[in-house]
Amino acid sequence: MSADADTASVVRLERRGDIALILVDNPPVNALSHAVRSALVDALGEVGEASRVVLACAGRTFFAGADISEFGKAPKAPSLAAVIAAIEACPVPVIAAMHGTALGGGLEVALACDGRIMAGEARAGFPEINLGLIPGAGGTQRAPRLMGVANALDLILEGKPIDALRACELGLVDRVTRGDLVEAACVFASELKKKRCVARLAPPSPPDAETLDAWRTTAARKRRGQTAPLAAIDAVDSATRRPFEAGLKRERALFEDLVAGSQARAMRHLFFAERRAPRVDGLTAAPRRVGKVGVVGAGTMGRGIALACVNAGLTVRVHDADAEALSRAAHAMDQDLAVQVKKGRLAPAEADDRRARLIAADDASELGDCDLVIEAVFESLEVKKAVFETLDAVCRPDAVLASNTSYLDLNAIAASTADPGRVVGLHFFSPAHIMKLLEVVRGARTSDAALATALDLAKRLKKVAVVAGVCRGFIGNRMLQGYQREAGLCLMEGASPAQIDAAMTAFGMPMGPFAMGDMAGLDIGYANRAALTPGEDFEPAAFAVHDRLVDAGRKGVKTGAGFYRYAEGSRTPEQDPELAPVIEAAARANGVKRREVSDAEIVERCVLALVNEGATLLGEGVAQRGSDIDVVYANGYGFPRWRGGPMFYADEAGLSTVLDTLQANARRFGAQWWRPAPLIEALAAGTGRLSTHEAGSDAGLAPTRPVADVNG
Ligand code: 3HC
Ligand code: NAI
């Protein structure tokens, strides 16, 4: 083996009788980095007299794929293709022994082997599509030869791993073992009489033109705007129509185009950003152990939060001041579990176990034994303060108290307790047991222990956590106000809700701002605005139509009409001819001149409003990093992942171009809402990027306050 310390330390070659065991150990996930690839090629060259080779990994998983951090850098030989060629060229059979998750390039290495065995709890898949890629080391050619075109395409397009039994059933692997994996692999190896190269198997039968079209249509619908799904279909189709080597070449060309493209760059950015987001510099406090969670307020959010907690194995006590609301919530949560059982996603016994851990609390005093309590009562500072006063009195002194407030001042809520250090924000998104995002709000006096406990809980709930400082709307909802403002102004100036919604869905948002408003209920924003100062906190003209609709009882889907009409029991928006006169009257009343507004202008104004507010709050230190803002928007607001989030989007557009447009908008529409964020001005003057900016780092700005001090 090479004397290179780097490579020598990641791969060990051991003897098990006449079998050579190649054991890779590259924590944390055995990514196929340059060091691993080199050492693998070396080890394969050194198996000598061995009659068989077993390839396995140490630690928590088989190879989790190519090393994503190497993408976008100059490739370093040997490539993954060279490793695969070395496996196929090995004179004796090579068996892959897979545990944990065999993903992407990792699964492709296994497919190059002569036999595959999986641990019973292991999973295998091609997650490349989630990175804007396709399998690029033969996966699109070998998988269809083993499991057929339709199954292979499913695995590649879904991007979700399948379990060992399913992989075996589909022919992707040969065996599954519940015993010692390496031992079972050695037994399997000794039974293999000769090499069984997948590349030499006959190509699968080609799909007909109609099937191909149907796949393309479904892929274009499910992953709107993305280029990788169509490339995947192309590559897999090539496996059926070209000789193996030619198919491989086609796959390679498609992969290389994708990996160098902006969509894959954006998705890689989010991959690392999501893993970075829950980290807080200097936070060393140990999280407190949380076994029992209290939830106060059993409305829309309280139910979802309680479900998220029981689903994660916690015991939950749910309290509501209204006994009827509590029993309605108990029924709704019971129904949710029943639906999961009916859909086959949950075993009946597991559902019963979860029900047993979901306990109604008639009185707040019953929350006394909870380790952490999450408040989700009405959005009123007075109501919340009273609830926190009660919690402060009834809960253990070391219990963490969290608020799910969307907009209110967490510091004011915390001030109603004797120990504001134990108060933190946990801002869930609706439905709370489904949505991945969780904003963890660090108040001015939140203790490190409370913050660490909240972050640890987020991890147990399998949420993507982002830390935010205190300000109105935190990161996500604060930025959304600018987006909604520009959508509202475009409406007043001449665009229809349908045009604006279509422009934003064409940009990649799952729903346009008006369909979204109808879905959420227009009365919510209406009530929020009542507590604000028009002209100072928000632009009244932007919401004049919203207000007229709510005053007329049109609150959105729930009342059968809002910006659109909805047939009885339907959530499908239908255009309403009665709306245009309402908009025109509102425009006249606000002195807004109507004109044609182009789709490009709609997108530019809505997205740049997000960008500018995001950069402003980043400069203030409300977000720790620019990439955190992207994580919030991709996971909580449907910002297209392949655009990387608003900060990444602005970087890709070029910050000096963004600055020019902000300045032009300030001249055209007024500086009040369009004054460029100082951070954009500072970064545009140099080479800095918003998406890699860290709050408090020097961008030529005045020093920012630490996150916890904002509005503190
Ligand atoms: N390359 C580089 N780093 C990786 C990595 C990869 N493929 N997979 C994970 N990591 C890193 C993470 O960034 C993280 O680093 P950090 O601790 O410094 O933040 C660390 O490994 C642990 O990752 P997770 O926090 O995600 O650990 P989990 O235990 O929660 O999950 C996992 C493990 C399921 C393996 C998950 O990490 C995962 O899904 N990884 C990505 C798998 C993937 O996308 N593979 C395909 C790569 S593309 C490819 O193979 C192309 C080929 O076809 C040519
Ligand atoms: P909701 O109106 O559906 O439920 C609130 C519940 O709190 C009701 O069941 C009510 O009886 C109960 N309640 C009121 N006062 C109480 C008290 N003093 N003690 C105990 N229970 C009391 O409200 P929703 O939508 O669940 O919102 C709750 C909180 O979550 C609000 O702060 C809201 O801003 C926030 N939020 C809401 C989101 C949403 O999409 N609905 C998203 C994220 C946060």
Side-chain angles (χ1 to χ4, degrees):
M1 203 178 292
S2 132
D4 181 340
D6 208 18
T7 60
S9 58
V10 291
V11 172
R12 283 203 310 274
L13 186 57
E14 295 174 6
R15 300 279 161 187
R16 300 275 167 112
D18 65 347
I19 294 178
L21 170 66
I22 298 179
L23 194 65
V24 179
D25 190 5
N26 182 33
V29 296
N30 287 312
L32 284 148
S33 62
H34 171 249
V36 172
R37 297 192 307 271
S38 302
L40 272 175
V41 170
D42 288 349
L44 284 159
E46 287 173 13
V47 296
E49 297 300 297
S51 71
R52 314 275 191 282
V53 176
V54 167
L55 175 57
C57 292
R60 64 198 219 216
T61 182
F62 192 69
F63 306 111
D67 186 333
I68 302 168
S69 66
E70 290 181 3
F71 291 154
K73 299 181 183 156
K76 271 165 111 182
S79 64
L80 196 49
V83 173
I84 282 172
I87 293 172
E88 288 187 333
C90 182
V92 296
V94 183
I95 281 74
M98 298 180 261
H99 76 293
T101 37
L103 299 176
L107 179 56
E108 290 175 299
V109 165
L111 294 183
C113 294
D114 302 281
R116 283 156 293 284
I117 182 164
M118 269 177 102
E121 85 304 331
R123 288 177 305 144
F126 289 120
E128 285 91 339
I129 203 88
N130 304 317
L131 293 166
L133 299 173
I134 60 171
T140 66
Q141 306 302 299
R142 291 185 180 87
R145 280 173 163 77
L146 284 173
M147 62 200 301
V149 170
N151 288 330
L153 209 44
D154 242 19
L155 200 59
I156 293 168
L157 291 177
E158 283 300 314
K160 288 192 192 126
I162 51 175
D163 63 34
L165 287 181
R166 181 80 183 134
C168 195
E169 197 176 283
L170 293 174
L172 192 65
V173 301
D174 304 291
R175 287 188 189 183
V176 176
T177 179
R178 300 268 166 202
D180 183 283
L181 179 63
V182 171
E183 239 170 61
C186 290
V187 171
F188 179 27
S190 37
E191 288 167 17
L192 269 190
K193 298 290 170 249
K194 54 181 174 38
K195 299 236 359 135
R196 310 188 310 170
C197 222
V198 177
R200 283 202 282 277
L201 294 177
S205 32
D208 57 39
E210 261 174 43
T211 310
L212 265 178
D213 274 353
W215 281 334
R216 289 195 179 108
T217 311
T218 310
R221 180 173 49 79
K222 281 196 177 169
R223 291 188 178 262
R224 206 155 32 88
Q226 300 184 32
T227 48
L230 295 182
I233 296 171
D234 181 337
V236 169
D237 185 45
S238 291
T240 70
R241 297 175 205 273
R242 302 177 194 222
F244 185 79
E245 287 304 329
L248 214 51
K249 229 168 134 185
R250 178 73 190 140
E251 175 198 83
R252 194 75 220 154
L254 289 164
F255 178 86
E256 273 169 11
D257 266 1
L258 291 170
V259 83
S262 68
Q263 296 198 354
R265 259 202 320 277
M267 290 162 101
R268 280 203 294 280
H269 160 68
L270 282 173
F271 177 87
F272 289 113
E274 283 165 357
R275 283 156 179 82
R276 205 178 300 126
R279 295 186 186 154
V280 178
D281 273 354
L283 182 70
T284 50
R288 298 202 182 122
R289 202 199 70 84
V290 173
K292 206 170 277 174
V293 171
V295 174
V296 186
T300 312
M301 293 308 289
R303 293 169 196 185
I305 294 168
L307 277 173
C309 292
V310 282
N311 292 348
L314 296 156
T315 296
V316 184
R317 289 192 190 281
V318 188
H319 169 65
D320 198 292
D322 175 350
E324 260 182 46
L326 189 57
S327 81
R328 272 198 311 274
H331 179 70
M333 292 187 283
D334 185 65
Q335 283 298 302
D336 187 277
L337 292 169
V339 168
Q340 300 304 318
V341 171
K342 205 167 162 200
K343 289 187 175 165
R345 293 187 193 146
L346 193 63
E350 175 57 26
D352 287 343
D353 177 57
R354 291 184 194 185
R355 282 189 188 99
R357 283 187 279 107
L358 206 47
I359 304 158
D362 296 328
D363 196 273
S365 61
E366 292 168 46
L367 306 177
D369 65 346
C370 290
D371 306 302
L372 182 146
V373 179
I374 306 168
E375 163 279 310
V377 303
F378 300 139
E379 184 74 346
S380 144
L381 188 58
E382 290 322 305
V383 176
K384 289 197 193 277
K385 278 167 119 176
V387 167
F388 272 76
E389 246 175 65
T390 306
L391 291 176
D392 201 30
V394 302
C395 292
R396 286 199 328 256
D398 63 337
V400 172
L401 306 182
S403 173
N404 184 46
T405 181
S406 307
Y407 292 99
L408 299 174
D409 181 352
L410 184 77
N411 297 329
I413 296 173
S416 63
T417 66
D419 175 14
R422 63 164 157 166
V423 177
V424 64
L426 281 176
H427 183 225
F428 288 82
F429 288 70
S430 181
H433 58 307
I434 311 271
M435 292 290 285
K436 296 294 285 176
L437 181 65
L438 183 57
E439 283 182 323
V440 175
V441 186
R442 184 182 197 179
R445 298 178 64 186
T446 301
S447 69
D448 283 3
L451 182 63
T453 307
L455 288 166
D456 188 57
L457 177 73
K459 194 170 172 189
R460 287 173 69 189
L461 300 184
K462 296 201 166 62
K463 300 289 181 194
V464 179
V466 175
V467 178
V470 176
C471 65
R472 194 180 151 74
F474 312 118
I475 298 175
N477 283 345
R478 171 168 161 182
M479 287 166 65
L480 193 66
Q481 291 185 356
Y483 175 79
Q484 288 170 334
R485 179 194 70 231
E486 288 311 308
L489 289 174
C490 287
L491 180 81
M492 293 286 268
E493 289 167 32
S496 69
Q499 184 198 351
I500 296 167
D501 283 354
M504 292 319 300
T505 49
F507 174 79
M509 302 298 282
M511 221 184 229
F514 296 104
M516 189 171 87
D518 274 4
M519 190 78 92
L522 301 176
D523 50 325
I524 294 182
Y526 186 93
N528 277 333
R529 284 191 294 282
L532 301 176
T533 313
E536 203 174 292
D537 297 324
F538 70 96
E539 169 55 62
F543 301 97
V545 179
H546 299 62
D547 290 349
R548 284 172 187 231
L549 291 176
V550 176
D551 287 339
R554 294 176 59 141
K555 297 178 185 169
V557 177
K558 61 187 167 193
T559 58
F563 281 99
Y564 298 94
R565 283 210 168 271
Y566 302 86
E568 182 81 32
S570 160
R571 299 167 81 84
T572 310
E574 288 166 22
Q575 291 194 48
D576 180 2
E578 284 175 22
L579 192 70
V582 179
I583 301 172
E584 281 156 21
R588 265 196 311 279
N590 283 273
V592 178
K593 232 171 114 199
R594 308 269 291 161
R595 64 185 171 90
E596 219 172 88
V597 183
S598 72
D599 291 357
E601 180 181 336
I602 292 167
V603 170
E604 186 178 84
R605 285 171 63 181
C606 290
V607 178
L608 281 197
L610 281 180
V611 168
N612 204 32
E613 194 61 33
T616 304
L617 66 83
L618 179 59
E620 290 170 2
V622 169
Q624 298 191 96
R625 322 169 177 91
S627 59
D628 289 359
I629 295 174
D630 289 339
V631 172
V632 166
Y633 262 76
N635 289 284
Y637 297 83
F639 198 94
R641 292 185 74 83
W642 50 274
R643 291 195 189 271
M647 301 294 101
F648 187 86
Y649 176 79
D651 287 336
E652 294 288 284
L655 290 187
S656 53
T657 309
V658 167
L659 181 59
D660 287 348
T661 314
L662 291 172
Q663 286 166 338
N665 284 355
R667 286 190 296 273
R668 187 171 169 202
F669 303 114
Q672 184 181 8
W673 308 117
W674 283 109
R675 185 170 297 111
L679 182 60
I680 294 183
E681 287 176 329
L683 293 177
T687 53
R689 285 171 70 87
L690 282 171
S691 59
T692 52
H693 184 75
E694 309 231 338
S697 63
D698 184 18
L701 282 172
T704 49
R705 285 173 290 165
V707 167
D709 287 353
V710 175
N711 287 2

